[in-house]
Amino acid sequence: AQSVTQLGSHVSVSEGALVLLRCNYSSSVPPYLFWYVQYPNQGLQLLLKYTSAATLVKGINGFEAEFKKSETSFHLTKPSAHMSDAAEYFCALDFGGTSYGKLTFGQGTILTVHP
Amino acid sequence: GAGVSQSPSNKVTEKGKDVELRCDPISGHTALYWYRQSLGQGLEFLIYFQGNSAPDKSGLPSDRFSAERTGGSVSTLTIQRTQQEDSAVYLCASSLEGQGITGELFFGEGSRLTVL
């Protein structure tokens, strides 16, 4: 069975500080991994995805994530937080190779950015 | 519009009533998905359509839930005899790629269902 665990349901940072949102996964086959962001009263938007190419993946809005197989992790980072980054972030997993968009999501992490 | 459109945006119903939720995907997207977002369960996959067929409906919680897609476009999710535990936000997503390497899923804003 595959699963995704996001460590920390709430993360609070100061504007300009490093953002680090943690995601660990469990999968019996090489996974595809994603980070989605959800702003209030909006649908989910893809930030970035890992599909077995480069292990360091760059996404939109200055976010990036690194796939570490040995640690089964796919943490999301941004060097300098902006007020507009406040949202809920979801890590998600899909089976590589036989995938078709059936995503397994983590529980989400709400990011608060304060001045 | 250019995005995934869902209606109604909000629905309040009484326990035992039937409800229909509609999704209009991005034009040309062959894959369509329904997910459910609730406080207790997080984001859960419900069903996947490729064209008008549903090769994976494994996430539908009970036989009270059904979905169809017509013309390779609009989809309707129907919940019969609603229960309070059905209260959630129902998200629809569409994608160009439904098989092979997962492409980006484009999500609608969701239909918030409240069952009294």
Side-chain angles (χ1 to χ4, degrees):
Chain A
Q2 56 183 10
S3 65
V4 177
T5 301
Q6 290 182 239
L7 301 176
S9 58
H10 289 82
V11 170
S12 181
V13 300
S14 299
E15 190 173 21
L18 171 72
V19 176
L20 171 61
L21 304 181
R22 300 178 186 273
C23 173
N24 287 88
Y25 70 90
S26 173
S27 177
S28 57
V29 298
Y32 292 162
L33 292 160
F34 307 82
W35 277 99
Y36 279 83
V37 61
Q38 186 176 33
Y39 298 101
N41 299 315
Q42 294 188 25
L44 281 74
Q45 178 184 7
L46 180 68
L47 272 180
L48 48 80
K49 63 181 179 181
Y50 165 76
T51 56
S52 74
T55 57
L56 181 62
V57 182
K58 294 187 183 299
I60 62 172
N61 301 338
F63 284 93
E64 63 181 37
E66 186 173 8
F67 174 72
K68 292 187 177 180
K69 184 178 179 180
S70 61
E71 299 178 7
T72 60
S73 69
F74 190 58
H75 301 332
L76 181 71
T77 60
K78 182 174 181 178
S80 176
H82 192 273
M83 298 294 290
S84 61
D85 294 327
E88 189 165 14
Y89 293 79
F90 293 91
C91 184
L93 175 153
D94 196 354
F95 283 120
T98 59
S99 67
Y100 49 80
K102 181 180 182 179
L103 300 177
T104 298
F105 284 90
Q107 291 297 310
T109 298
I110 296 173
L111 175 66
T112 303
V113 182
H114 50 85
Chain B
V4 176
S5 177
Q6 293 188 245
S7 62
S9 55
N10 277 286
K11 176 72 175 179
V12 179
T13 191
E14 293 179 349
K15 178 181 173 181
K17 301 282 190 181
D18 297 352
V19 297
E20 286 189 349
L21 307 176
R22 175 190 168 105
C23 173
D24 203 340
I26 293 172
S27 178
H29 280 193
T30 57
L32 185 146
Y33 314 81
W34 284 97
Y35 283 81
R36 179 167 73 172
Q37 186 174 24
S38 60
L39 282 176
Q41 301 299 322
L43 270 158
E44 306 171 281
F45 167 85
L46 296 179
I47 188 169
Y48 154 64
F49 285 93
Q50 180 61 30
N52 292 335
S53 300
D56 189 344
K57 54 180 83 171
S58 63
L60 295 178
S62 74
D63 58 7
R64 296 186 296 104
F65 287 73
S66 63
E68 65 173 10
R69 189 179 185 194
T70 56
S73 180
V74 172
S75 176
T76 302
L77 177 69
T78 301
I79 309 172
Q80 295 179 310
R81 305 181 303 281
T82 52
Q83 303 294 312
Q84 288 184 331
E85 61 263 29
D86 300 334
S87 296
V89 177
Y90 290 83
L91 293 169
C92 178
S94 68
S95 174
L96 269 174
E97 298 97 356
Q99 298 176 1
I101 293 176
T102 298
E104 177 176 355
L105 269 62
F106 294 83
F107 283 83
E109 295 185 356
S111 291
R112 181 177 296 277
L113 174 65
T114 302
V115 182
L116 302 177

